[in-house]
Amino acid sequence: MKFMKQSIFLFSLMVLCVKLINAQVKNDIRYYSLNSVINFNQAKEGFNTQLLFTEAPKPASEKMVIYNYPQSQNTNQIKKTSGLLPNLSCGISFFGNTWGGSTPNDNDMAISNDGYLVSVVNTNIYMVHTNSLSNSVSKSLSAFTGTLIANHREFDPKILYDPEADRFIFMCLNGNTSATNSLVFGFSQTNNPTSNWNMYILPGNPLNNNLWSDYPMLALTKKDVFLTVNLLYNDSSWQTGFVETLIWQIGKKQGFAGAPLKTKLHSNIRYEGKSIRNLCPAKGGDKLYGPNMFYVSNRNFASQNDSIFIVETTDTIGGANNSINVKVSKSNQLYYFPLGASQPIASQTLATNDARVLSAFFLNNKIQFVNNSKAATNSLSTVYYGVIDNPSSASPITKGYLIENDTVEFGYPNISYAGLNANDFTALINFNHSNKSIFAGLSAVKADGQGNFSKVFRIKNGTTAVNLLTANLERWGDYSGSQTKYNNPGEVWVSGYNSYRHSISYPNAHGTWIAQIGINDSKVTMSNNDTQKALTPQLAVYPNPIEDMVSVSFELDKADELTFKLYDINGKLLNILLQTVVRPPYNTVQINLNTLSSGVYFLKISGTKTKEISKKIIKN
């Protein structure tokens, strides 16, 4: 027994040494060495094995607890989208990330001043230059991380664009136990995200207390990157396994240079002895701010409440005034625990999870933020919009508004600055929409920071109901993406949930819709529908490998004359299989290839409005 205890101790010590071997600790500051440099264009797809539907809504044996907290007596004034502000406009709008076998899709996006756009979801990363949408490239998260990770289980990706460095920052989680969990960071070496990235791995169990990191949120100041994560117990859900929220403060200069990454960890963030949950960092409005960073939180499991928590980290890493301040503000408008949203399939409700703050930005001494809520008048899922004045003061003032609708349900909002000058507090709020007669899609609304709104602008409806899980609660989030175009004030790019038919096997899936939104008609270049690509990326070949018959399923935005050509492995044209006008939206072509010998072939599809798409077919 004594020998066994010594062995266990030595093994635990060895594991701890392995976890810290890449980090040097000095004065509570940790340095993490560069792990590798990865070129996105050259990253190769491996087996890319996916556990389908990796995030179920909640275990069937677990009952959600909705808490009743005391709150102040508020006037509880309801604010509907009244259409007092001018309407929004839409420029470029297109389908981005396809479904990759996991739910939810966890949308996030970033766009450079030059027009490079990066969109991430739970399984893949999509890159395109907005001047040439037909030249997009998409790879799995496991291909991007490559040999950097041995046990591929990437999820919850986030992406940021730094307008001062003109570079991108990527991160995702990997592994969902304390033994396997890590934080993967990538810093682009140039403003071209398809080129080289400096890659780092940080520990997901940094306190070495058998906990793992979940639900990352990311924002920038002029000097640092700020990451918040929730620490969870092993073998517990995100609802009941929560222990505390951590803040990682990371030096971005070192990341862009490939130098050892300078980090500071902030823990034990509490109010009245209880850990504050889900700290949402407030990004910069029209530019980066700093060195301080603000965070917003609330009582996300409350049945209804008015408490808004404001946390502030001060100074840069290692600075003399590097500390944390915590305070609470009472909003004049209650927020509510949200219910699931309906969709045109009665058996499958769309989950809204809880009322946590999902996005925020800071500008001119105001924080504007958004979260899920329930409408006070009809209990439909909706968006809560809050404005905090003087967040650094001893008594910040918070005003809130519910963006209600009589029939359509809203969820998973994001918010970005959309103003034109220092005195303009206009914000663009994008969110998912759905109801019993409208398939899940993407919408947006404009707010002015004083309780006035434009009409809700419906960017894109989905094309089918979502039905992926055996439970009756489909995933609808957990995020949507949004970023102001820093060099063109008044222009915001958004990404969100879009239901669509992925393939014959999965006709009720979800992908990503991406759009360029302007606060008025003059702020975006309006798209010409005739130049938009007709054949969207969701093309599927089934089965593959084949014996004789193969089915090719695809979706069209508009009618197009398509040509189907078959080539051998050497690029020799074997046959023009079909040339015909094809109507939108869904189509399936069956091809009999029983005369072919065993080998590898390529099916190439092109059209008058469609750049050629190639699919490899393996004949047994």
Side-chain angles (χ1 to χ4, degrees):
M1 178 65 73
K2 182 178 180 180
F3 174 76
M4 182 178 295
K5 289 182 178 179
Q6 290 175 338
S7 299
I8 292 173
F9 172 77
L10 290 174
F11 176 76
S12 301
L13 183 61
M14 180 179 68
V15 170
L16 177 60
C17 290
V18 169
K19 288 183 177 180
L20 293 180
I21 198 169
N22 194 41
Q24 297 180 358
V25 183
K26 183 178 180 181
N27 297 329
D28 203 28
I29 296 175
R30 297 183 181 185
Y31 295 84
Y32 293 89
S33 298
L34 177 72
N35 287 90
S36 67
V37 175
I38 292 178
N39 184 287
F40 185 83
N41 269 332
Q42 297 174 4
K44 303 295 184 182
E45 292 287 356
F47 289 104
N48 190 23
T49 305
Q50 292 287 341
L51 175 63
L52 297 187
F53 320 129
T54 53
E55 296 185 55
K58 55 178 177 288
S61 61
E62 180 181 68
K63 183 178 180 181
M64 172 62 71
V65 178
I66 303 175
Y67 297 97
N68 289 298
Y69 293 95
Q71 68 260 341
S72 59
Q73 298 297 316
N74 292 319
T75 57
N76 197 33
Q77 296 175 349
I78 307 302
K79 185 70 178 182
K80 291 191 177 183
T81 51
S82 57
L84 294 177
L85 302 180
N87 292 335
L88 298 169
S89 61
C90 184
I92 300 171
S93 181
F94 59 98
F95 190 93
N97 308 68
T98 59
W99 181 67
S102 179
T103 188
N105 57 4
D106 288 347
N107 275 296
D108 199 16
M109 60 79 57
I111 185 169
S112 72
N113 287 340
D114 186 51
Y116 279 108
L117 185 143
V118 183
S119 174
V120 294
V121 295
N122 237 341
T123 52
N124 59 76
I125 180 168
Y126 169 96
M127 297 184 183
V128 69
H129 197 289
T130 53
N131 290 338
S132 182
L133 296 182
S134 59
N135 292 325
S136 64
V137 57
S138 180
K139 296 187 179 182
S140 66
L141 295 181
S142 61
F144 183 40
T145 56
T147 57
L148 182 69
I149 294 175
N151 57 321
H152 288 286
R153 171 59 176 93
E154 298 90 346
F155 64 102
D156 276 7
K158 309 296 286 185
I159 188 76
L160 290 175
Y161 171 68
D162 185 332
E164 295 188 357
D166 193 23
R167 308 282 179 87
F168 289 90
I169 299 173
F170 164 87
M171 76 83 52
C172 71
L173 301 176
N174 182 67
N176 56 356
T177 68
S178 59
T180 62
N181 189 228
S182 60
L183 316 176
V184 182
F185 268 89
F187 296 80
S188 70
Q189 291 186 357
T190 70
N191 62 0
N192 183 350
T194 66
S195 188
N196 288 344
W197 290 73
N198 298 326
M199 306 296 289
Y200 298 82
I201 295 182
L202 278 60
N205 179 24
L207 302 180
N208 297 302
N209 52 1
N210 295 319
L211 303 176
W212 63 282
S213 298
D214 189 28
Y215 197 76
M217 304 196 83
L218 206 62
L220 296 173
T221 58
K222 289 179 174 295
K223 297 288 186 181
D224 299 325
V225 186
F226 290 86
L227 169 72
T228 66
V229 291
N230 293 338
L231 286 187
L232 306 180
Y233 287 116
N234 290 319
D235 302 318
S236 297
S237 71
W238 57 266
Q239 293 101 332
T240 61
F242 173 78
V243 177
E244 67 170 312
T245 296
L246 300 180
I247 298 175
W248 283 87
Q249 189 171 357
I250 302 167
K252 65 182 183 181
K253 180 180 179 180
Q254 295 88 1
F256 290 132
L261 208 58
K262 185 178 182 180
T263 71
K264 173 69 178 293
L265 190 65
H266 304 275
S267 61
N268 198 31
I269 305 166
R270 299 173 180 272
Y271 181 78
E272 293 184 345
K274 294 183 179 180
S275 294
I276 301 177
R277 184 170 184 155
N278 308 318
L279 288 170
C280 178
K283 58 192 175 186
D286 60 342
K287 58 183 179 296
L288 303 183
Y289 66 102
N292 297 8
M293 169 62 73
F294 290 102
Y295 313 80
V296 188
S297 185
N298 61 12
R299 300 190 189 275
N300 60 300
F301 286 137
S303 58
Q304 62 180 46
N305 206 256
D306 56 7
S307 294
I308 303 297
F309 299 103
I310 304 164
V311 176
E312 183 180 10
T313 48
T314 61
D315 212 342
T316 57
I317 302 172
N321 299 313
N322 192 211
S323 63
I324 293 183
N325 301 319
V326 178
K327 65 193 74 172
V328 67
S329 175
K330 296 293 185 179
S331 175
N332 69 316
Q333 168 65 60
L334 298 176
Y335 53 86
Y336 302 87
F337 185 87
L339 304 177
S342 58
Q343 59 169 335
I345 175 173
S347 62
Q348 298 296 96
T349 303
L350 297 170
T352 46
N353 287 348
D354 56 47
R356 73 185 66 182
V357 177
L358 294 168
S359 180
F361 73 82
F362 173 78
L363 177 73
N364 292 344
N365 210 25
K366 290 181 186 287
I367 297 174
Q368 299 188 49
F369 68 93
V370 288
N371 54 269
N372 287 334
S373 181
K374 180 180 70 173
T377 55
N378 54 22
S379 295
L380 297 180
S381 296
T382 194
V383 171
Y384 184 93
Y385 165 60
V387 180
I388 304 172
D389 279 312
N390 299 312
S392 290
S393 68
S395 302
I397 298 174
T398 301
K399 294 183 179 179
Y401 310 90
L402 291 170
I403 303 175
E404 296 197 348
N405 190 281
D406 293 333
T407 57
V408 184
E409 303 196 61
F410 305 140
Y412 293 101
N414 204 308
I415 187 170
S416 287
Y417 179 63
L420 301 177
N421 54 63
N423 298 316
D424 185 350
F425 290 95
T426 301
L428 189 285
I429 305 169
N430 60 288
F431 42 84
N432 302 332
H433 70 246
S434 182
N435 72 4
K436 294 179 180 179
S437 60
I438 300 174
F439 294 123
L442 179 63
S443 287
V445 71
K446 179 168 53 177
D448 67 356
Q450 299 180 21
N452 299 307
F453 301 88
S454 68
K455 292 181 180 179
V456 172
F457 181 73
R458 193 174 300 169
I459 300 169
K460 176 67 175 178
N461 287 336
T463 56
T464 183
V466 178
N467 189 359
L468 293 171
L469 299 174
T470 55
N472 63 354
L473 200 60
E474 295 292 334
R475 299 303 297 269
W476 198 25
D478 282 339
Y479 320 93
S480 59
S482 172
Q483 186 207 296
T484 185
K485 189 72 159 39
Y486 290 106
N487 61 343
N488 189 25
E491 177 183 337
V492 178
W493 286 74
V494 301
S495 67
Y497 196 91
N498 186 251
S499 62
Y500 80 109
R501 186 179 190 270
H502 174 266
S503 63
I504 295 174
S505 300
Y506 297 102
N508 302 98
H510 50 65
T512 299
W513 197 265
I514 299 169
Q516 173 195 31
I517 305 298
I519 59 169
N520 55 54
D521 290 343
S522 65
K523 292 314 299 176
V524 299
T525 302
M526 301 304 291
S527 62
N528 181 346
N529 287 335
D530 290 336
T531 65
Q532 297 295 301
K533 56 184 178 180
L535 187 62
T536 50
Q538 54 266 31
L539 181 149
V541 175
Y542 180 84
N544 198 9
I546 66 168
E547 297 294 338
D548 47 23
M549 298 294 295
V550 62
S551 295
V552 181
S553 297
F554 53 92
E555 180 182 349
L556 290 175
D557 292 335
K558 58 185 69 65
D560 195 7
E561 183 176 356
L562 300 183
T563 301
F564 297 73
K565 297 179 181 180
L566 186 68
Y567 294 80
D568 66 13
I569 194 170
N570 297 314
K572 179 183 177 181
L573 177 62
L574 300 179
N575 194 277
I576 298 177
L577 301 169
L578 181 67
Q579 188 170 10
T580 185
V581 174
V582 184
R583 306 291 178 185
Y586 305 121
N587 294 271
T588 299
V589 174
Q590 283 194 328
I591 307 170
N592 189 340
L593 301 179
N594 62 356
T595 60
L596 293 179
S597 58
S598 298
V600 176
Y601 300 87
F602 291 91
L603 174 67
K604 296 187 178 182
I605 306 172
S606 61
T608 59
K609 305 171 185 174
T610 305
K611 184 174 180 178
E612 187 175 75
I613 295 176
S614 178
K615 283 288 184 178
K616 181 168 70 174
I617 297 176
I618 301 174
K619 174 72 184 297
N620 286 334

